[in-house]
Amino acid sequence: ARWFRETHHAPVLENWGLLWMWHSLVLVIASVLTELLQWNNAGVVSYPLLWTVGLGAWAAVFWALRRRMGPVTFVERQIAHVWGAAMIGIAALFPVEWALGLAPLTLTPLLAVITGMMFFIKAGILSGVFYIQAVSLFVAGAAMLAWPQVAHLIFAVVAGLCFFIPGLKYYRLRRSLQAKDPK
């Protein structure tokens, strides 16, 4: 039970609930668009544009929205850096594929591994419950290897739920606290 408890930093998650729910939607859209591009034999440049430029733009909007909610704590900055590192890791998959002479999206299962690592770190900093998301994403990576023709759809479902479920929990918690103490 100690592994799954929240740390004293967990209350900052109340600031991220709604944003995580939006992030889950963005991940689902990016993943579904990637599958559609792949099924339609889109050009190689389409994928890095979607995952690097598109998600990079979302990251800027995400951070601006969080900053509008009030001061950003030290722990939130740490989490933002972990998230940023994960995004850099995902963006790096494209030049690595190119440099190794691999077909585009060959390294797609690493999306789940990178995202799982991010949740593993969040589990240590915020709440051990995030170990469940980490394991779910690691298993999703294996499933993505087994079924590459629908790998991004697998990632969409698992990663979407990994962000949406805690997002909803902390969004509801924030709303209930606001209802008790409307300032």
Side-chain angles (χ1 to χ4, degrees), residues 135-164:
V135 169
S136 299
L137 284 155
F138 296 148
V139 170
M144 292 165 74
L145 275 172
W147 296 286
Q149 66 278 11
V150 291
H152 284 91
L153 297 179
I154 294 168
F155 181 74
V157 170
V158 176
L161 289 171
C162 284
F163 279 97
F164 186 83

Side-chain angles (χ1 to χ4, degrees), residues 80-183:
H81 279 82
V82 170
W83 186 47
M87 291 191 64
I88 291 167
I90 289 167
L93 294 177
F94 299 106
V96 168
E97 285 175 337
W98 177 80
L100 294 175
L102 299 172
L105 306 180
T106 301
L107 298 178
T108 287
L110 291 177
L111 287 173
V113 173
I114 292 168
T115 308
M117 290 169 56
M118 181 180 60
F119 272 102
F120 193 86
I121 295 166
K122 288 179 184 180
I125 297 172
L126 299 168
S127 174
V129 173
F130 292 136
Y131 288 123
I132 295 168
Q133 278 90 338
V135 169
S136 299
L137 284 155
F138 296 148
V139 170
M144 292 165 74
L145 275 172
W147 296 286
Q149 66 278 11
V150 291
H152 284 91
L153 297 179
I154 294 168
F155 181 74
V157 170
V158 176
L161 289 171
C162 284
F163 279 97
F164 186 83
I165 291 170
L168 181 61
K169 172 187 172 182
Y170 289 106
Y171 172 74
R172 286 180 172 167
L173 182 59
R174 182 182 177 108
R175 295 287 301 229
S176 69
L177 292 173
Q178 287 174 339
K180 291 178 185 175
D181 185 24
K183 289 183 182 179

